[in-house]
Every structure is written in C-alpha cells, then in structure tokens.
Amino acid sequence: MNELKKVMVIGGGIAGLTTAYELSLFGVHVDLIEKSCFLGGHAIGYSCKAAEECVQCGACSVEDMLKKVVEQDNIDVHLSTEITSVQNGKTHKVTLSKSELSEDDKESALLRGFSINNKPLNVIINKETCGSIPEGSVDYSELGFEGEIEVDAVVLATGFSAFDASIKSQLSYKEFDNVINGLELEQIKRETGKLLRPSDGKQAKKIAFIQCVGSRDERLGNLWCSQVCCSYALKTARSLKYKDQELDVTVFYMDIQNTGRDFPVFYEKCKDDIKFLRTIPADIYPAENDDLLIRYMVEEDGNPANETYDLVALSVGIMPGDDNEKISKLLGTGLDSDGFITNGGAGTDQEGVFVTGTATGPANISTVIAQSDQAACEVLKYLGVS
Amino acid sequence: MTEITINTDVLVVGATSIGLKVAEEVKNLDYNVEVLKSPQDLKGLKGFAGDFTATLDSGEKKFGAIVTATDFITKPLFESYNLSPNDKIISQSDFEKLTESDSLNGTKSVVFLAGFGQEGNPLVMKRVFKSVLDLCELEDVNPYVFVNNLKVASKGLERLYKEGRDKGAIYFKLLEKPEISEDGSKLVYMDQVMRSEMELYPDLVVVEEEYVPCIDNTNLACDLNIKIAKDGLLQMDNVHRFPVDTARKGIFVAGTARRLMNEDDIATDSKVVALKIKEFLGNGTIEVPQNVAVIDGDKCAICLTCYRCCPHGAIYWQQDEAVVSALDCQACGNCASECPQDAIQLEDYKDSSINSEIEKCFADEKAPVVAFCCQNSAYEALSMASEFDFEIPESFKPIKVPCAGKVDADYILKAFSKGAAGVAVLACHPGNCKSEHGNTYAKWRVEDIKSKLEVIGVDKERVLFSTVASNMASALYGTVKDFVNKVK
C-alpha cells in the first residue's frame, strides 16, 4: 500500500484537468488551483468545428474531461485562488490566497461558466445589479482559498495569454466593433451557433481571417508559430461555410500550416470553400454599414488592392502566460528566451516541479492532452507510486 | 464486483525509435516486455485485453497488452519535380550524408526544393533549415531554398528559419515550383521582388522527401482487429481516443504508428503509453465490469452479426454460441440493436427499460416528440441547453441512450404506434462516435424506417436523424426547435 501522496496542479484548463484526472486515478490526492471563477481555461469556450464530419478539434473533449474531474473524489478544486509563496524542499509548502477579479469582471453583476460541469456555473459578483439570480449560484465572496497546503509535487499548467491585437494598431482591433479576435469569434459561435456581428447582431455574409497576428513577428520579437491558428481558422471557416453556403470567406496568410492528419486532403476541400490570399493586410479602414475595408498588396503583381468585408477575425497568437514570470520566480523554474516555462520532458529546473501544456509553448488540444499524460507519468515516477 | 487476474506482459510491435522507448518505460514499471523487430514477426493474434495470445516465430505466447510502434519510411520526390537523380540532383537524405562526411568541397551554390512535390510538414522543413545552417558554416557557399508553404508549426523552427536567413541563405517563397533543366544545372523561377523571370545555375539540387507510413500497418491492423485510417496510420482520428487508445482495450498505438512526429513528441508518446498501460494492467487484478452486453445463448443463431459489428472487438464464439468478453465490452449496445434474433441485452439499457421510457413520454403529452439522445453528445448538449436558458419545448421528450447505435428500429416504430408526433435520433457527428460507427448504423436505420413509414402512410419527415456536438447547446436547440415546429 502506498502512503497517500499529494500533488498540487496549478491551472484548471485542459492541461491541468487532464493531469489532475490522471493522477487521481492512481490514488494521488490533487489540489487543483484555478485563478478564475471557473474550470476549463480558454478551451472550454471553443466551439465545435465539424462540417460534414468531425475535424478532431478536441473542443468537446475539454467538456468531457471537466466532467470526469468534478466527479473524482480525490481532487479538491480551489477556484479564484492563486499562489503567493512557495517553499521548495523535500515537500513543497504553497501559500494560497484569493485572487483578484479582472477589471472587466469587477464591473459585471453575474459571471457564468461555459460548461454545465462547472460547479458553480454562476458566480454573483454584485447582488444589487444582478436582477434575477439563477438557481445554484454562488456568491463570489464564498470562493477563494486562503492558507498553506503542503504537497509532494507541483504541476504547472498555467496556460497561455492570447496576443493583444490592439498592439498592432493598423488592424484597428477594439477601434471597430466588427474587428474581433479568434477567441471572441469562438464565443459568438458557441453561444449562438451562428456568426453574428457585434455591431448590429446581423449574420455576417463576407468575412476575412487574418493569420499570424502576434505570432511569427520579427518586429515584436515573437519568433514562433502559434501552431493552432491555421487549424482554427480553416476549420472554423469550413464549419461556417457548411451551414451557410452563401458565406464568403477569405484567409490572409503567410504560410498555411498543417491542421492535422491527412492535411493535404483537408486543404483541398478548403481551397474549394475559401479564398486564400498570401499577404498580410496593411490597414483596415471603416466602411459603410459598419463594414471594414481591408487594404493589401496582391502577391502576384505587387499592386495594392481593396476589399470590403462585414466581419474581420484576427487569428491572435499564443503568447506566454501573463503570470509566467511571477510563477517561474515563485517556483524556481526557468523561462526560455520566448518567455515560456522551460521544460525537459515535463520536468523543470526545480526538483518536484513539473510543467505541461501551453505554459511551455504553443500546442493544440490533443498535444496538450498527451503532454499532460506525460506529466502525470513523470510525477508518478517521481513519487514512486506504483 | 468480480475480480480476475490478467496477464501483465507487454508486447511491443516494432523495434523503432518509439518502440524501444516504450519498451524502456514499460520495463521501468516492472512489467515484462517483448519487442518484435518488425510487424512481420507477428504471425497472428487471438484473445482479449489482459489475455492475448500472439503467434511468434518462437511459438505462441501470452500478453496482457499490445503496443503498435511502427515507423514511417522516407521516399525522395524526384518524380514530382520531373527529375531523376544524378551527381547534381540528390535527395535530402543523400545531402545529409554528404554533409556528415564533409564531401561538399567545391560546391558553391545549393538549391533546396520543398513543398512543391507534396504539401510538406515541419519534419521536412526542419531538415532543410538544418542543412542550410550546415552549409552556412562552410566558406563561400550560397544556399537557396525554393519553398511553397513554410511549415514552421513546431517548436524552434521559426528561429532556425531566421538564423539561416541571417547567415545569408536566400528563401524564395513561390506558389508554383521553379522550372528545372533535366540535368539540374539551370533553374528558372518567378522572382517575387523583382517581378520578373530569373535564372539560377546551381552546383547541386536537393530534392525533398515524403514520409510514408509503414507498409505493414495494413496487415497489422487486420491481425489486431483495429481500424486503419485512409492515410495508412493505425488509429482512426477520434477525439475520444486522444492520444494513444484504440477502439480495443489493451491495444495502444504509439508515436509514429499514429501520426508523423518529431523526437520530442515520440518521447512524450512513450510516457503516455506507459501511463495508459499502468492504468490498464495495474497490479494484474482487474474488476470485471457489470454493465456489459449479454447474449442469450438460447436465442443466438451464431449468425456472427454481433461479431462483425462490434467496434471494440469484444465478441467471440465458442461451441454453439457467441460470447461477450466483459473486459473488452464498452457497453455501446450496437450489437444488441443489430442482432436479428434480439438475443442481446445491454445491462443498463434493456429493451424493457427503454420501452418503458418510451411509455413515459406519453404521460403528460398525447403526441410528444420522442428523441433518442446519445449520452456522449446530444444528451450532454441538451442538459447544457436547459441550463443555459434555451427554451426546449415541453413536448420534446428526450431518452438517453449509450450510443445512437443502440436505437432499435423497434423503438422508433413503438413511439409512432403510441401516437408520437415525431421521432428524432440525435447522434454524434461522423468521425466523432466513441464506438466508431454507431452513428452510421443509426442513420441507416432511420433511412430504412423512413421508407417503411411511407408505405404505411406516415409522413417520413416525422423522423429525424441529426448530429450534434456535446458542447453545442445552441446548435442542438436550433435542431430541436425546427423539428418540433415542423411536426407539431
């Protein structure tokens, strides 16, 4: 019989959920720490991208994993909680405290998770402005854990931050309502099943995706490909087109990256449905009816061209998590030259501290699941759990 | 719960990079491992998870789990460029050999071709980037790369690309391949900056290679009774089996047997397989699940329908009846619905209990819309829809099924005979069925019933087959609303 081992998993996205679940299957007690009010991370907000068939985007598997985690008895979930100090040694003593809400969330009355498997699904921020309160809601004041937890190992699964497109001012993000980023598009699609314009709620008929926003950008010093955005844009475009044959989709790109197995076959289908332009637009201007005019250079002849769209989606890149620096300092792990947490096969520079998922660099859902299984395997080995 | 003892020896098929790594990881877990050099060394496989019998050159041997670990082979794409190899036209592999043996003396300009003979991938790209950097180490050599899409979706590749350019390599990103003379001495291409046709006279032309899945995968899939995908890889792409599971318990697909990957990903996969093997074999005792399919021997006519349709390879026959291996059964119920003798019942979803669920739909509604919802997709999406304030019509009565493939034609007919306004079968999207083809069976049955309904004068539009994802409440709501409006 093994003595009870305890592991802290920091981050409740798909990486943290998978690691926590796998560890729990081997009788390890897991404290799962999540900074926000809900589990699921970025990926729980993604929509299904099936067209005539499933394209293995993995969005639904996040839902699946979340359900498994909340059903496990030996996983304690601490929402709205972050780490404030760590004492590394034979064990790790981690001090936790209630995390701050983001500025946007502070203004809200009620926050709602993306998944019914989130418990709670609704978090009340402001009772006065809330109006009707859904059954089973929890008050924000009840969330958060304060105190110290001692564990045998720590797994970092803190994820990524999406590139802030307003840094590239020529793309007019946040300036015009109908220039949105990929995550926002996912949310609209997931909530309504349709592609509705933020400015007027009308169904978009002519849309443009702009790739490599923030990624592969020498000027910004972002010398990496985010690996998921071509997959995201192409699969989303096809699934939208499948529902609405009239939809006109253009993808502005530098290089199209493979989106999965059997990519050449998928790419051929995309070429039937999508107009591909190998150029990154120079500017976006407002046009009539909240439309947007994109100015770009035609690769074939080098001449400038203009085209009007009613919605523009920016494929924003995967950037190092905003907390990476703080976390790496607290835990004594290294950061690579790009700002991601250094890993050597799930291990870090610090003994007993492991890392998985997009905290280490760009990856898609299936890769993150594999990395997290690997992390669980390494942790079990380290703890000597048999 | 009954506990049984299983065999804990592991058979790894393929002494490849991934095969050897898996073997090492599994050995560390204190299981016995045997590695077969090639898939051809496996002459046959019988039995079930925890109790496989493999036929090897040395005779029959028992194993608890099997890992397929085949590799890709590389093939130069001379033909795609209308070239034949000679002194000046060589493959990427041959070029790498030349660099290793320092045999590039006197070569002044080298042209690399990538992405015109095939779509390409980061593995091919990385080899070009590395070769370019090797050349940059030599004096007075000019590397030129002609490439279509730069495949940089892998850690560190963008940096390698930049490093090469900084050191003087010239990249031409073209949509069409350059024209190359038969002897490789002259290239004509459209220069994107100059906007005119340019010529180049290289000393050496290096042609890209494609990665072809192991040719033995087909036979191996057949021996192991697992699916082989159209791309020649040993696992159907299916989100429910990320990353290394197959539809059969105890059989895993590792690394390059399941997709093209680099050495880091291969190392990751070896750990993943080790974890999954540990999860499955444990200490050699295992609880036998109770909620499985059970075959009534008296009714069974050994027609083998169940054996053929079971997506999990869980059915075998002995003497004069078919038997379900409880360890392998995943309780999808496809066999129960396909069995022409009605000889199979699924413990948690017996015909009797589903029939009473159908009855219940009529308790407060004379003409309800009865909907059979797969628990892996539609049923989840439905609970989400009600939780997220989508108003599901009251006349819509969902019945949870383990897989759309468990929806008998009889259930649909029963609902109509009781007076249902409509019947819906709501399944997973094609390619997303946990049990491989349960959704396809369901679709066929609905189509079949539609034609029968027409004969007896019921509008066939009163039956709906539709697919939905578990996380798309909005999509499910739209489907439900439209259908209820149509039939009510």
Side-chain angles (χ1 to χ4, degrees), chain B residues 452-482:
Chain B
K452 283 182 181 144
L453 285 178
E454 276 199 313
V455 176
I456 57 168
V458 177
D459 183 0
K460 65 176 182 180
E461 294 303 313
R462 289 189 178 276
V463 198
L464 170 76
F465 174 84
S466 187
T467 61
V468 68
S470 61
N471 63 340
M472 293 302 283
S474 53
L476 179 96
Y477 170 69
T479 305
V480 167
K481 197 182 62 179
D482 291 350

mmCIF file of all heavy atoms in Angstrom, chain B residues 452-482:
data_model
loop_
_atom_site.group_PDB
_atom_site.id
_atom_site.type_symbol
_atom_site.label_atom_id
_atom_site.label_comp_id
_atom_site.label_asym_id
_atom_site.label_seq_id
_atom_site.Cartn_x
_atom_site.Cartn_y
_atom_site.Cartn_z
ATOM 1 N N LYS B 452 -40.179 2.713 -44.868
ATOM 2 C CA LYS B 452 -41.279 1.874 -44.379
ATOM 3 C C LYS B 452 -42.490 2.729 -43.985
ATOM 4 O O LYS B 452 -43.622 2.352 -44.238
ATOM 5 C CB LYS B 452 -40.818 1.050 -43.177
ATOM 6 C CG LYS B 452 -39.967 -0.133 -43.595
ATOM 7 C CD LYS B 452 -39.561 -0.971 -42.402
ATOM 8 C CE LYS B 452 -38.682 -2.122 -42.863
ATOM 9 N NZ LYS B 452 -37.638 -2.440 -41.889
ATOM 10 N N LEU B 453 -42.190 3.891 -43.358
ATOM 11 C CA LEU B 453 -43.288 4.750 -42.918
ATOM 12 C C LEU B 453 -44.120 5.211 -44.100
ATOM 13 O O LEU B 453 -45.343 5.292 -44.035
ATOM 14 C CB LEU B 453 -42.734 5.968 -42.158
ATOM 15 C CG LEU B 453 -42.229 5.722 -40.748
ATOM 16 C CD1 LEU B 453 -41.681 7.006 -40.173
ATOM 17 C CD2 LEU B 453 -43.336 5.168 -39.860
ATOM 18 N N GLU B 454 -43.447 5.495 -45.197
ATOM 19 C CA GLU B 454 -44.160 5.963 -46.381
ATOM 20 C C GLU B 454 -45.180 4.930 -46.839
ATOM 21 O O GLU B 454 -46.287 5.264 -47.238
ATOM 22 C CB GLU B 454 -43.163 6.263 -47.499
ATOM 23 C CG GLU B 454 -42.588 7.643 -47.375
ATOM 24 C CD GLU B 454 -41.971 8.126 -48.666
ATOM 25 O OE1 GLU B 454 -41.214 7.328 -49.268
ATOM 26 O OE2 GLU B 454 -42.233 9.280 -49.040
ATOM 27 N N VAL B 455 -44.785 3.650 -46.739
ATOM 28 C CA VAL B 455 -45.669 2.567 -47.152
ATOM 29 C C VAL B 455 -46.945 2.551 -46.312
ATOM 30 O O VAL B 455 -48.038 2.366 -46.840
ATOM 31 C CB VAL B 455 -44.933 1.204 -47.055
ATOM 32 C CG1 VAL B 455 -45.867 0.045 -47.385
ATOM 33 C CG2 VAL B 455 -43.729 1.203 -47.985
ATOM 34 N N ILE B 456 -46.787 2.791 -44.989
ATOM 35 C CA ILE B 456 -47.980 2.745 -44.141
ATOM 36 C C ILE B 456 -48.655 4.108 -43.994
ATOM 37 O O ILE B 456 -49.537 4.300 -43.173
ATOM 38 C CB ILE B 456 -47.677 2.159 -42.742
ATOM 39 C CG1 ILE B 456 -46.574 2.968 -42.031
ATOM 40 C CG2 ILE B 456 -47.281 0.692 -42.830
ATOM 41 C CD1 ILE B 456 -46.429 2.621 -40.567
ATOM 42 N N GLY B 457 -48.216 5.055 -44.811
ATOM 43 C CA GLY B 457 -48.936 6.331 -44.881
ATOM 44 C C GLY B 457 -48.567 7.355 -43.822
ATOM 45 O O GLY B 457 -49.314 8.275 -43.552
ATOM 46 N N VAL B 458 -47.392 7.205 -43.184
ATOM 47 C CA VAL B 458 -46.936 8.242 -42.244
ATOM 48 C C VAL B 458 -45.903 9.097 -42.974
ATOM 49 O O VAL B 458 -45.050 8.573 -43.692
ATOM 50 C CB VAL B 458 -46.309 7.597 -40.984
ATOM 51 C CG1 VAL B 458 -45.777 8.672 -40.041
ATOM 52 C CG2 VAL B 458 -47.319 6.708 -40.268
ATOM 53 N N ASP B 459 -46.016 10.401 -42.798
ATOM 54 C CA ASP B 459 -45.071 11.310 -43.451
ATOM 55 C C ASP B 459 -43.654 11.017 -42.963
ATOM 56 O O ASP B 459 -43.371 11.064 -41.766
ATOM 57 C CB ASP B 459 -45.481 12.750 -43.105
ATOM 58 C CG ASP B 459 -44.591 13.761 -43.802
ATOM 59 O OD1 ASP B 459 -43.677 13.329 -44.540
ATOM 60 O OD2 ASP B 459 -44.810 14.967 -43.592
ATOM 61 N N LYS B 460 -42.759 10.739 -43.878
ATOM 62 C CA LYS B 460 -41.403 10.351 -43.477
ATOM 63 C C LYS B 460 -40.645 11.503 -42.816
ATOM 64 O O LYS B 460 -39.658 11.304 -42.122
ATOM 65 C CB LYS B 460 -40.610 9.803 -44.665
ATOM 66 C CG LYS B 460 -40.336 10.803 -45.754
ATOM 67 C CD LYS B 460 -39.467 10.211 -46.841
ATOM 68 C CE LYS B 460 -39.196 11.298 -47.863
ATOM 69 N NZ LYS B 460 -38.378 10.891 -48.964
ATOM 70 N N GLU B 461 -41.136 12.703 -43.037
ATOM 71 C CA GLU B 461 -40.488 13.859 -42.408
ATOM 72 C C GLU B 461 -40.698 13.883 -40.891
ATOM 73 O O GLU B 461 -40.137 14.722 -40.193
ATOM 74 C CB GLU B 461 -40.998 15.164 -43.021
ATOM 75 C CG GLU B 461 -40.624 15.360 -44.492
ATOM 76 C CD GLU B 461 -39.122 15.303 -44.729
ATOM 77 O OE1 GLU B 461 -38.382 15.952 -43.969
ATOM 78 O OE2 GLU B 461 -38.683 14.591 -45.668
ATOM 79 N N ARG B 462 -41.516 12.967 -40.406
ATOM 80 C CA ARG B 462 -41.731 12.894 -38.961
ATOM 81 C C ARG B 462 -40.593 12.176 -38.229
ATOM 82 O O ARG B 462 -40.586 12.080 -37.012
ATOM 83 C CB ARG B 462 -43.056 12.205 -38.654
ATOM 84 C CG ARG B 462 -44.233 13.079 -39.030
ATOM 85 C CD ARG B 462 -45.539 12.521 -38.529
ATOM 86 N NE ARG B 462 -46.635 13.420 -38.887
ATOM 87 C CZ ARG B 462 -46.982 14.487 -38.174
ATOM 88 N NH1 ARG B 462 -46.342 14.768 -37.063
ATOM 89 N NH2 ARG B 462 -47.957 15.265 -38.566
ATOM 90 N N VAL B 463 -39.652 11.640 -38.990
ATOM 91 C CA VAL B 463 -38.465 11.048 -38.366
ATOM 92 C C VAL B 463 -37.257 11.897 -38.718
ATOM 93 O O VAL B 463 -37.092 12.303 -39.865
ATOM 94 C CB VAL B 463 -38.171 9.617 -38.870
ATOM 95 C CG1 VAL B 463 -37.245 8.898 -37.898
ATOM 96 C CG2 VAL B 463 -39.424 8.840 -39.081
ATOM 97 N N LEU B 464 -36.447 12.162 -37.724
ATOM 98 C CA LEU B 464 -35.261 12.992 -37.966
ATOM 99 C C LEU B 464 -34.010 12.269 -37.489
ATOM 100 O O LEU B 464 -33.976 11.710 -36.396
ATOM 101 C CB LEU B 464 -35.411 14.315 -37.196
ATOM 102 C CG LEU B 464 -34.153 15.195 -37.157
ATOM 103 C CD1 LEU B 464 -33.952 15.897 -38.500
ATOM 104 C CD2 LEU B 464 -34.237 16.232 -36.043
ATOM 105 N N PHE B 465 -33.000 12.271 -38.331
ATOM 106 C CA PHE B 465 -31.666 11.884 -37.859
ATOM 107 C C PHE B 465 -30.795 13.119 -37.958
ATOM 108 O O PHE B 465 -30.740 13.764 -39.003
ATOM 109 C CB PHE B 465 -31.079 10.757 -38.710
ATOM 110 C CG PHE B 465 -29.652 10.449 -38.339
ATOM 111 C CD1 PHE B 465 -29.367 9.600 -37.281
ATOM 112 C CD2 PHE B 465 -28.583 11.033 -39.024
ATOM 113 C CE1 PHE B 465 -28.062 9.341 -36.905
ATOM 114 C CE2 PHE B 465 -27.272 10.784 -38.655
ATOM 115 C CZ PHE B 465 -27.008 9.932 -37.593
ATOM 116 N N SER B 466 -30.149 13.478 -36.848
ATOM 117 C CA SER B 466 -29.289 14.656 -36.892
ATOM 118 C C SER B 466 -28.080 14.434 -35.988
ATOM 119 O O SER B 466 -28.126 13.615 -35.064
ATOM 120 C CB SER B 466 -30.076 15.885 -36.451
ATOM 121 O OG SER B 466 -29.290 17.043 -36.637
ATOM 122 N N THR B 467 -27.003 15.167 -36.262
ATOM 123 C CA THR B 467 -25.797 15.012 -35.446
ATOM 124 C C THR B 467 -25.464 16.331 -34.760
ATOM 125 O O THR B 467 -25.762 17.404 -35.271
ATOM 126 C CB THR B 467 -24.595 14.557 -36.292
ATOM 127 O OG1 THR B 467 -24.322 15.536 -37.290
ATOM 128 C CG2 THR B 467 -24.855 13.206 -36.943
ATOM 129 N N VAL B 468 -24.839 16.234 -33.603
ATOM 130 C CA VAL B 468 -24.557 17.422 -32.801
ATOM 131 C C VAL B 468 -23.332 17.139 -31.924
ATOM 132 O O VAL B 468 -23.015 15.983 -31.659
ATOM 133 C CB VAL B 468 -25.798 17.781 -31.941
ATOM 134 C CG1 VAL B 468 -26.057 16.730 -30.878
ATOM 135 C CG2 VAL B 468 -25.657 19.161 -31.310
ATOM 136 N N ALA B 469 -22.647 18.196 -31.502
ATOM 137 C CA ALA B 469 -21.507 18.016 -30.594
ATOM 138 C C ALA B 469 -21.976 18.244 -29.159
ATOM 139 O O ALA B 469 -22.905 19.022 -28.922
ATOM 140 C CB ALA B 469 -20.398 18.999 -30.933
ATOM 141 N N SER B 470 -21.316 17.592 -28.210
ATOM 142 C CA SER B 470 -21.747 17.656 -26.810
ATOM 143 C C SER B 470 -21.685 19.071 -26.246
ATOM 144 O O SER B 470 -22.387 19.397 -25.304
ATOM 145 C CB SER B 470 -20.879 16.731 -25.965
ATOM 146 O OG SER B 470 -19.531 17.142 -26.041
ATOM 147 N N ASN B 471 -20.840 19.925 -26.827
ATOM 148 C CA ASN B 471 -20.673 21.262 -26.256
ATOM 149 C C ASN B 471 -21.441 22.348 -27.014
ATOM 150 O O ASN B 471 -21.212 23.525 -26.822
ATOM 151 C CB ASN B 471 -19.184 21.629 -26.193
ATOM 152 C CG ASN B 471 -18.553 21.700 -27.564
ATOM 153 O OD1 ASN B 471 -19.081 21.143 -28.512
ATOM 154 N ND2 ASN B 471 -17.434 22.382 -27.676
ATOM 155 N N MET B 472 -22.327 21.940 -27.938
ATOM 156 C CA MET B 472 -23.020 22.940 -28.750
ATOM 157 C C MET B 472 -24.512 22.984 -28.434
ATOM 158 O O MET B 472 -25.366 22.553 -29.222
ATOM 159 C CB MET B 472 -22.776 22.653 -30.237
ATOM 160 C CG MET B 472 -21.331 22.846 -30.653
ATOM 161 S SD MET B 472 -20.685 24.514 -30.335
ATOM 162 C CE MET B 472 -21.419 25.430 -31.688
ATOM 163 N N ALA B 473 -24.813 23.545 -27.261
ATOM 164 C CA ALA B 473 -26.204 23.663 -26.825
ATOM 165 C C ALA B 473 -27.022 24.453 -27.852
ATOM 166 O O ALA B 473 -28.150 24.100 -28.173
ATOM 167 C CB ALA B 473 -26.259 24.340 -25.463
ATOM 168 N N SER B 474 -26.420 25.524 -28.368
ATOM 169 C CA SER B 474 -27.145 26.393 -29.299
ATOM 170 C C SER B 474 -27.536 25.640 -30.566
ATOM 171 O O SER B 474 -28.645 25.791 -31.081
ATOM 172 C CB SER B 474 -26.289 27.609 -29.651
ATOM 173 O OG SER B 474 -25.015 27.197 -30.104
ATOM 174 N N ALA B 475 -26.620 24.809 -31.058
ATOM 175 C CA ALA B 475 -26.886 24.052 -32.280
ATOM 176 C C ALA B 475 -27.995 23.035 -32.030
ATOM 177 O O ALA B 475 -28.905 22.868 -32.843
ATOM 178 C CB ALA B 475 -25.617 23.360 -32.754
ATOM 179 N N LEU B 476 -27.938 22.368 -30.880
ATOM 180 C CA LEU B 476 -28.957 21.381 -30.554
ATOM 181 C C LEU B 476 -30.322 22.045 -30.441
ATOM 182 O O LEU B 476 -31.321 21.558 -30.970
ATOM 183 C CB LEU B 476 -28.638 20.671 -29.237
ATOM 184 C CG LEU B 476 -29.739 19.667 -28.902
ATOM 185 C CD1 LEU B 476 -29.380 18.283 -29.357
ATOM 186 C CD2 LEU B 476 -30.115 19.709 -27.464
ATOM 187 N N TYR B 477 -30.339 23.190 -29.786
ATOM 188 C CA TYR B 477 -31.590 23.924 -29.598
ATOM 189 C C TYR B 477 -32.223 24.253 -30.950
ATOM 190 O O TYR B 477 -33.416 24.066 -31.164
ATOM 191 C CB TYR B 477 -31.331 25.201 -28.790
ATOM 192 C CG TYR B 477 -32.492 26.134 -28.741
ATOM 193 C CD1 TYR B 477 -33.634 25.789 -28.024
ATOM 194 C CD2 TYR B 477 -32.462 27.345 -29.422
ATOM 195 C CE1 TYR B 477 -34.725 26.648 -27.990
ATOM 196 C CE2 TYR B 477 -33.550 28.201 -29.395
ATOM 197 C CZ TYR B 477 -34.676 27.849 -28.673
ATOM 198 O OH TYR B 477 -35.749 28.697 -28.645
ATOM 199 N N GLY B 478 -31.396 24.722 -31.885
ATOM 200 C CA GLY B 478 -31.887 25.065 -33.219
ATOM 201 C C GLY B 478 -32.518 23.849 -33.894
ATOM 202 O O GLY B 478 -33.626 23.932 -34.445
ATOM 203 N N THR B 479 -31.842 22.720 -33.810
ATOM 204 C CA THR B 479 -32.345 21.491 -34.437
ATOM 205 C C THR B 479 -33.682 21.078 -33.814
ATOM 206 O O THR B 479 -34.639 20.757 -34.516
ATOM 207 C CB THR B 479 -31.312 20.354 -34.218
ATOM 208 O OG1 THR B 479 -30.058 20.799 -34.716
ATOM 209 C CG2 THR B 479 -31.720 19.089 -34.939
ATOM 210 N N VAL B 480 -33.729 21.098 -32.481
ATOM 211 C CA VAL B 480 -34.926 20.669 -31.756
ATOM 212 C C VAL B 480 -36.101 21.578 -32.092
ATOM 213 O O VAL B 480 -37.201 21.118 -32.422
ATOM 214 C CB VAL B 480 -34.658 20.673 -30.227
ATOM 215 C CG1 VAL B 480 -35.966 20.549 -29.453
ATOM 216 C CG2 VAL B 480 -33.701 19.559 -29.864
ATOM 217 N N LYS B 481 -35.858 22.875 -32.032
ATOM 218 C CA LYS B 481 -36.931 23.845 -32.259
ATOM 219 C C LYS B 481 -37.522 23.669 -33.671
ATOM 220 O O LYS B 481 -38.729 23.581 -33.841
ATOM 221 C CB LYS B 481 -36.364 25.266 -32.092
ATOM 222 C CG LYS B 481 -37.423 26.327 -31.893
ATOM 223 C CD LYS B 481 -36.802 27.706 -31.772
ATOM 224 C CE LYS B 481 -36.077 28.057 -33.059
ATOM 225 N NZ LYS B 481 -35.466 29.369 -33.079
ATOM 226 N N ASP B 482 -36.642 23.577 -34.663
ATOM 227 C CA ASP B 482 -37.102 23.426 -36.043
ATOM 228 C C ASP B 482 -37.933 22.157 -36.208
ATOM 229 O O ASP B 482 -38.968 22.155 -36.873
ATOM 230 C CB ASP B 482 -35.904 23.383 -37.013
ATOM 231 C CG ASP B 482 -35.207 24.728 -37.098
ATOM 232 O OD1 ASP B 482 -35.772 25.717 -36.561
ATOM 233 O OD2 ASP B 482 -34.108 24.790 -37.674
#
